[in-house]
Amino acid sequence: MQNFKSSSFAEQLAKKHFGISAVAKALPGFEDSNFRLKTNDGKTYILKISHPDSNALNLEMQNAAMIHLAKQNLSLTLPQIISNSAGEITTILKDADGKKRTLRLLAWVEGRMFSNVNPHTDELLKSLGQASGLLCKGLENFNHEGAERTFQWDGSQLPWVKEHLDKFQNSEQKEIVEYFLQLFESQVVVNFSKLRKSVIHNDLNDFNVVVNDDVNPRISGVIDFGDAIYSQLINDLAVTLSYSMMNKQDPLASALPVIKGFHEQYPLEEKELEVLFPSIAARLLISVTASAQNRIKEPDNEYLFVSERPAWDLLKKMKDIPPQLAHYAFRTVCGWEACPKNRLFKNWCESNKNEFIEVVKLQNKQIGLFDLSVGSLDLGHNEDFEDTPKFQKKINHLLDEKSIDFGIGGYAESRPVYTTDAYLVEGNDGPQWRTVHLGLDIWGAAGTPVFAAFDGTVHSFQDNAGDRNYGPTIILEHRFEEH
């Protein structure tokens, strides 16, 4: 009796159509029924039986993509198609309802699933980006009509998610979805025509990426081309990042080595990096929406929900990351200046330098430099920087001792104050402490007038009370015209 989910039936099919005697083990799958076959002499294969509603043209495209990539001599192990006893790469079966099923046999790609590897070191993440870049490079000249399709897992077709807002469980989830939908429409949709397109793998998730057994592991192979599609090239990197950033304390930091690895293998364009952050979120929105749909359709299929919780967790963390900060971090790791308008700003400053006024009037004042770095002779013992009131007394004492009106603290100075637990954060590799002071300090007497360098508006004012916070803070906004 036919049972396309049965291991014993898979063994019968392998014997009948490929002449292989093997023990079959069922594997999880989204659409296909998948089985690992292992022979007595140690050879391993994967047998795939398509869903009766599978698109035949899409299966042809998958086969063509794997055959194409096999000729590219990539430094990745990819599934190789094995012909049946009749010399054909597909075998057409009919189930009890008379519906067609496509049978395929592929060589097994040895290694560990990315999901089973811990920790995810920067080198491993970089090799993940390199794998994605290699695949995009290998597919850049590949075309197939089966890749041009309407497909919910294509990040560029994200707007379909709008129709399912009612399926989300609470207001926080709806707010997150609406936030990233708006970001996608304002930053990605308007740039569609400026983004490169090609056939992409589109599904480098934790279960489709294979890692070798080296002491310092690297990505060694990629499987499952079922989601391959003709789309914006950047979507392949976005998909890869959407999974590799999951379950990370600092998802933005974990994204950087992946992007660096991709860029080394397949150089990105500036416009692609501009849309990358909202494109990552787009994949996550598709994932959580699909999970919401599947809870109604197939509530017992746990494989369909494997990424739901970590996807929501990542979306929540990403909502707290300013999109421009992510964009600038991505640019930096690609070797570009962080802010693309920085040169314009510098030119504007140079042209208008005579218009600036001093923030603090230092003319005819006694000025001294304060060394507050690690090992400073000015700073003294720990109590002088760990306790805020004592630190203030120390600063006042230095002003008197040096007989100066103003003390200047150094920018980018490594200071011991940041080694205290007040600055402890959990990073991807454990606890971390800030080390560098990102500001130029001017210490003087209370009541000293402070001026704006040039005309602007008050962006915000707040007393940031609390231990080691900024205290009363005014942030000014200045605008300059581009020329």
Side-chain angles (χ1 to χ4, degrees):
M1 181 177 178
Q2 290 182 331
N3 181 351
F4 289 97
K5 295 186 180 295
S6 164
S7 296
S8 60
F9 186 58
E11 293 170 1
Q12 295 174 32
L13 293 175
K15 181 65 175 177
K16 178 179 178 180
H17 296 285
F18 299 94
I20 294 175
S21 296
V23 175
K25 179 182 178 182
L27 301 173
F30 186 72
E31 281 195 354
D32 295 344
S33 294
N34 301 314
F35 299 89
R36 176 175 178 170
L37 300 178
K38 196 158 190 176
T39 65
N40 288 333
D41 58 0
K43 292 182 179 179
T44 310
Y45 308 89
I46 181 167
L47 187 75
K48 299 176 74 70
I49 307 171
S50 71
H51 190 275
D53 298 322
S54 294
N55 186 307
L57 193 59
N58 175 255
L59 292 175
E60 290 177 15
M61 180 272 296
Q62 293 179 42
N63 293 338
M66 288 185 282
I67 292 170
H68 173 84
L69 287 169
K71 300 174 183 177
Q72 306 304 306
N73 297 316
L74 303 180
S75 55
L76 287 171
T77 304
L78 303 173
Q80 301 297 309
I81 303 174
I82 298 171
S83 300
N84 61 21
S85 301
E88 299 171 336
I89 61 174
T90 58
T91 305
I92 304 300
L93 308 173
K94 283 192 177 182
D95 61 21
D97 297 322
K99 293 185 177 181
K100 290 183 179 180
R101 303 263 192 154
T102 301
L103 179 69
R104 293 179 294 164
L105 186 69
L106 306 175
W108 183 263
V109 177
E110 290 292 344
R112 299 173 287 168
M113 293 292 97
F114 188 80
S115 60
N116 295 329
V117 179
N118 188 42
H120 290 171
T121 65
D122 282 355
E123 281 304 307
L124 178 61
L125 292 171
K126 181 180 176 182
S127 74
L128 176 62
Q130 290 171 330
S132 178
L134 279 172
L135 280 181
C136 287
K137 187 174 183 178
L139 289 169
E140 64 182 346
N141 295 319
F142 172 73
N143 294 293
H144 194 283
E145 59 179 326
E148 300 190 37
R149 55 183 170 137
T150 300
F151 187 46
Q152 73 170 20
W153 291 95
D154 176 14
S156 299
Q157 300 177 42
L158 175 68
W160 70 266
V161 167
K162 289 182 184 178
E163 303 168 11
H164 300 277
L165 286 173
D166 61 315
K167 294 184 175 65
F168 298 112
Q169 298 174 358
N170 55 56
S171 58
E172 182 188 20
Q173 290 181 345
K174 289 181 181 179
E175 182 182 344
I176 289 172
V177 173
E178 289 171 344
Y179 169 81
F180 283 113
L181 278 172
Q182 189 280 327
L183 190 67
F184 184 84
E185 291 179 352
S186 64
Q187 295 190 9
V188 183
V189 174
V190 296
N191 287 306
F192 272 165
S193 62
K194 302 172 186 175
L195 303 173
R196 293 179 293 178
K197 297 186 73 174
S198 68
V199 176
I200 58 174
H201 180 278
N202 196 43
D203 197 21
L204 289 189
N205 67 57
D206 292 6
F207 298 93
N208 288 339
V209 177
V210 180
V211 182
N212 63 24
D213 290 321
D214 292 355
V215 175
N216 297 311
R218 294 178 56 83
I219 306 304
S220 56
V222 170
I223 61 173
D224 196 348
F225 285 78
D227 284 2
I229 192 168
Y230 182 75
S231 184
Q232 278 70 24
L233 173 73
I234 194 62
N235 283 333
D236 203 66
L237 178 56
V239 170
T240 304
L241 287 165
S242 70
Y243 292 103
S244 64
M245 291 166 67
M246 288 181 185
N247 301 309
K248 302 294 194 301
Q249 288 286 345
D250 187 346
L252 183 57
S254 70
L256 302 183
V258 181
I259 296 168
K260 183 176 183 179
F262 187 103
H263 187 63
E264 287 180 359
Q265 292 296 331
Y266 199 78
L268 291 157
E269 296 182 353
E270 291 192 61
K271 187 60 67 175
E272 290 169 337
L273 278 192
E274 190 176 318
V275 305
L276 180 55
F277 185 75
S279 296
I280 297 167
R283 176 63 174 211
L284 294 167
L285 292 189
I286 292 172
S287 181
V288 296
T289 306
S291 293
Q293 288 180 304
N294 290 329
R295 286 201 178 279
I296 300 171
K297 295 178 183 177
E298 299 183 57
D300 297 326
N301 190 342
E302 290 299 321
Y303 180 76
L304 301 179
F305 313 118
V306 67
S307 297
E308 184 178 24
R309 182 197 55 76
W312 277 120
D313 289 345
L314 178 53
L315 281 168
K316 290 176 184 177
K317 289 180 180 178
M318 288 181 65
K319 192 172 182 295
D320 291 333
I321 299 173
Q324 281 190 315
L325 173 63
H327 176 210
Y328 296 165
F330 297 166
R331 287 178 57 87
T332 301
V333 81
C334 287
W336 301 332
E337 192 166 43
C339 178
K341 292 186 177 181
N342 188 44
R343 187 165 298 280
L344 286 173
F345 176 69
K346 286 182 177 179
N347 291 340
W348 182 87
C349 288
E350 181 63 27
S351 301
N352 293 273
K353 61 183 179 182
N354 293 328
E355 304 297 322
F356 297 160
I357 66 170
E358 293 176 310
V359 175
V360 176
K361 299 294 185 181
L362 300 178
Q363 191 173 6
N364 300 322
K365 301 293 183 180
Q366 295 299 316
I367 302 169
L369 299 180
F370 285 172
D371 178 7
L372 303 179
S373 65
V374 175
S376 165
L377 297 179
D378 282 342
L379 196 54
H381 51 72
N382 289 4
E383 287 186 355
D384 288 339
F385 62 80
E386 289 182 351
D387 182 84
T388 300
K390 289 183 178 179
F391 178 70
Q392 183 61 56
K393 287 182 180 179
K394 183 66 178 180
I395 293 297
N396 293 337
H397 175 72
L398 288 172
L399 290 169
D400 291 338
E401 185 180 57
K402 295 176 182 286
S403 299
I404 56 177
D405 299 302
F406 294 101
I408 309 296
Y411 179 81
E413 187 175 61
S414 294
R415 295 183 177 177
V417 64
Y418 297 125
T419 63
T420 65
D421 286 345
Y423 298 94
L424 171 64
V425 295
E426 284 296 325
N428 294 328
D429 298 319
Q432 297 175 343
W433 288 262
R434 176 181 168 185
T435 57
V436 177
H437 182 68
L438 297 178
L440 181 64
D441 301 316
I442 302 176
W443 278 285
T448 299
V450 179
F451 302 89
F454 52 94
D455 289 344
T457 58
V458 175
H459 175 274
S460 60
F461 170 75
Q462 181 173 318
D463 183 2
N464 296 285
D467 190 32
R468 303 189 188 283
N469 212 323
Y470 288 107
T473 306
I474 300 174
I475 298 178
L476 302 182
E477 179 179 350
H478 305 281
R479 294 182 178 273
F480 68 96
E481 295 181 4
E482 298 180 25
H483 297 290

